[in-house]
Structures are given as C-alpha cells and as structure tokens.
Amino acid sequence: MTKILIIGACGQLGIELTHNLKARYGDDAVIPSDIADKRNVYVDSVFEILDVLDNSNLKRILNYHQISQIYHLAAVLSARGENDPLFAWKLNMDGLLNVLEEARAEKIKRVYWPSSIAVFGPSTPKKMTPQETIANPNTVYGISKLAGERWCQYYHDKYDVDIRSLRYPGLIGWRSKPGGGTTDYAVDIYHKAIGEETFECFLKKDTILPMMYMDDAIRATVELMETDDKNIQVRSSYNISGMSFSPEQIYHSIKGFYPHFEMLYKPDYRQIIAKSWPESIDDTEAREQWGWAPKYDLPMMTEEMLKNLSRPVTAN
Ligand code: SER
C-alpha cells in the first residue's frame, strides 16, 4: 500500500500537494509533517512535527507509519536565503541528505524533491534554456539546488534510490501564501488587487521570468511520480515550463478585472536575483519522456486566481 510522508506540508507547495494526494490516494495514505506544530492546517488528519535535520525523528516516523514514498519540500527560498546563507545551505543540503540517506537505508520506494530555475545563473542562455547548459547560480538557494541535483543523481546511480525531481519555475496559487521567494511578487500582486491596495513591486517592470500556475505544477509533480520508471531518463531534475511574463504584463492582465488597480516599482536586491535567471525554459525532455504539457497561460491563471481569492472562504 502507498503511504506518503510530506515534509514541509504547511508550506506553499506542501499544502497544495497534501490536499491533492489525500484526494487521490485517501486521507490515511498521506502523512503531513512540518517543523512547526501547525496541525490546525490539517484538523482531521494525522500530523507529525518533524525538523528534517533531526534524522532520528525522521527514521522513527518512516518506520512508525510504514512510509513508502517521501515528498521532501522543506527549504529556504531564494530571497530569504540571502539573509542567512549558512542556514539556508544547512537546511537545504543537510535536509536533502538526511532524506536520501534514510531513503537508501529504509528502502523507501520513491522520493520527490523539488529543484528550481534558480540552478541557472547570469551566463546561462536566457531564452528557452535547455535541460543541459551552463548552470552557475549566484544565490545560496540556487547553489544548494544545483548541489542537490547532483546528490539526487548520485543516490540514484549508486544506491538505486528512485528519486524524481522538477526544476520549478515561479509557482502561483491561491490556497497558500508563499514565503521568501523572488518570484513571489506574482502571488502577492493578486492579494493586493483583491484587497484594493496599491502594489509595490520589488522587480523592474520588464523583468521576464518563467512561471507556472499551481494546478499545472501539482499535475506535473503527480504525473512524474506516477510514470513508469523506464520513462525517466533525467535523474538530476527536469526542466518544466508553463508561461513567462513580466510584472508589467501580469499587472495589465489583472487590470482587465480591476481597472483601478495601481502598481509602483521599487526594485531591490531581488531584481539582481531575477536578472540572473532564465526568461523561458525548454522542457523538451519532460514532454517527450513522460508526456508533460502545461494547460494554463497568463489570462487563464489571472481569471482563476481572482475568482478563487475573492471567495469569502478559502479551502484552508
Ligand atoms: N520560486 C523560487 C524563488 O523565487 C524559485 O524556485 O525562490
């Protein structure tokens, strides 16, 4: 029987994946865990408090619940990572190594770990960035994701751990608020529009970044995790692409619904991070090897975000 542990279940991605996987495999098949006691997010569910740096607790949870799959989502994101680089490195790197080691030792059947467009850097080709190219990240987050990709490949090749990974672009969803990312302006902007507040953007208006609507990201993750082993030829992490836009373009897509919505530009250190990342991603390998295809473009996403955020009660 499939029994899934979600590490970082109260984060932006964790909330969405837990919700989706419980609906898919059944409530009892998915055990959410997080560093903080946020069991109020999962009132009717078993919940474990887990600091992924604590490997004895990780081992206990894996054994106690007879876990067969792990989704390891706990990480410090790009912008926040720059405020405490050594902690970001420790959490992102040691956390992954603990999970990989336990997966090897406890013979966990399958592991998911997210990588990011942050593995790329200033001298990476910016448009339609290929799967294999120059990757010279200049954020601690990007460095940790790139090193993490190599460890994933290593554990797969050397110990046969079935690890699967996607290089997410900026993720945009309504169920949860993100924390500490450079692409997160594209989530906050919808909340400000709904609240009829002026939005202060920390990027310049023409800064184009690869982005993806959360429903596409969750579907990509589940499709990758459910595809047959033989389809997976990339064991570091797959490029995946959804859409690309600038702050000015998302602003105009929202203004179609909220004509009085105002936005100011106050670029800060996050502009430098954004400028070092690609504008668009070539995801040929994901499309050819396991059939990936995105559904949402910017107008569809804006409509969904505004519709869901303006409901009186949200899902969590
Ligand atoms: N969304 C992430 C960030 O901005 C990139 O993976 O940090």
Side-chain angles (χ1 to χ4, degrees):
M1 184 191 148
T2 301
K3 199 83 189 269
I4 299 171
L5 175 66
I6 315 264
I7 302 174
C10 298
Q12 183 197 16
L13 194 55
I15 285 176
E16 301 269 359
L17 261 174
T18 305
H19 182 80
N20 185 288
L21 293 174
K22 276 180 176 285
R24 208 170 176 83
Y25 296 109
D27 205 38
D28 296 341
V30 182
I31 312 293
S33 75
D34 206 283
I35 190 165
D37 186 355
K38 293 186 189 156
R39 66 189 76 214
N40 58 319
V41 178
Y42 298 106
V43 271
D44 296 322
S45 168
V46 176
F47 180 89
E48 290 281 0
I49 298 174
L50 171 63
D51 176 351
V52 70
L53 298 178
D54 178 353
N55 45 352
S56 61
N57 195 27
L58 174 60
K59 193 187 273 299
R60 178 194 67 77
I61 291 169
L62 294 177
N63 285 317
Y64 180 77
H65 294 284
Q66 295 289 295
I67 296 296
S68 60
Q69 293 190 12
I70 304 174
Y71 286 66
H72 169 39
L73 312 174
V76 178
L77 293 189
S78 62
R80 191 168 292 161
E82 295 308 290
N83 299 328
D84 192 348
L86 295 184
F87 176 70
W89 176 257
K90 186 173 178 54
L91 177 69
N92 294 3
M93 222 59 266
D94 292 358
L96 174 62
L97 284 172
N98 278 351
V99 168
L100 289 174
E101 242 330 88
E102 290 308 319
R104 180 188 67 76
E106 302 294 329
K107 305 215 178 324
I108 299 297
K109 286 209 171 62
R110 202 161 284 177
V111 179
Y112 180 76
W113 172 79
S115 186
S116 162
I117 54 162
V119 296
F120 301 119
S123 55
T124 301
K126 291 247 173 280
K127 292 188 173 46
M128 292 304 279
T129 303
Q131 176 71 38
E132 300 280 348
T133 184
I134 300 165
N136 54 355
N138 57 7
T139 61
V140 69
Y141 175 70
I143 299 169
S144 72
K145 288 294 182 189
L146 184 58
E149 287 190 5
R150 303 321 310 153
W151 277 114
C152 290
Q153 178 94 53
Y154 186 89
Y155 268 76
H156 172 264
D157 295 352
K158 187 145 184 172
Y159 304 120
D160 213 19
V161 174
D162 183 359
I163 171 101
R164 303 177 180 203
S165 176
L166 298 172
R167 287 174 180 153
Y168 290 127
L171 300 183
I172 299 158
W174 54 271
R175 272 199 188 82
S176 55
K177 278 202 153 187
T182 302
T183 56
D184 294 347
Y185 87 88
V187 180
D188 288 337
I189 192 170
Y190 288 111
H191 288 268
K192 290 288 187 303
I194 297 279
E196 295 183 12
E197 290 173 64
T198 300
F199 179 62
E200 244 181 46
C201 186
F202 55 70
L203 298 184
K204 288 186 185 163
K205 67 178 181 180
D206 56 355
T207 312
I208 296 173
L209 286 170
M211 300 278 188
M212 182 174 281
Y213 186 49
M214 191 59 88
D215 288 30
D216 270 346
I218 299 299
R219 188 169 53 79
T221 309
V222 172
E223 285 176 8
L224 175 69
M225 284 298 273
E226 289 184 352
T227 198
D228 202 285
D229 206 48
K230 69 176 180 343
N231 296 331
I232 301 186
Q233 288 161 40
V234 175
R235 289 293 179 168
S236 50
S237 189
Y238 277 99
N239 274 9
I240 48 163
S241 172
M243 61 187 93
S244 289
F245 58 78
S246 66
E248 190 174 33
Q249 287 167 323
I250 189 172
Y251 170 68
H252 282 294
S253 85
I254 295 173
K255 230 173 141 61
F257 295 85
Y258 289 82
H260 301 295
F261 182 44
E262 299 284 342
M263 163 143 124
L264 304 172
Y265 294 96
K266 286 206 176 158
D268 63 20
Y269 71 101
R270 289 168 282 194
Q271 173 64 27
I272 297 163
I273 299 177
K275 270 322 272 183
S276 76
W277 289 350
E279 292 185 359
S280 57
I281 299 291
D282 178 349
D283 58 2
T284 304
E285 282 79 355
R287 287 173 186 263
E288 288 181 351
Q289 292 171 21
W290 45 275
W292 164 243
K295 285 191 182 149
Y296 285 87
D297 60 12
L298 178 57
M300 283 165 73
M301 178 173 79
T302 293
E303 205 173 322
E304 283 294 302
M305 286 295 288
L306 295 175
K307 184 177 79 194
N308 285 301
L309 287 176
S310 52
R311 280 194 199 145
V313 184
T314 59
N316 53 333

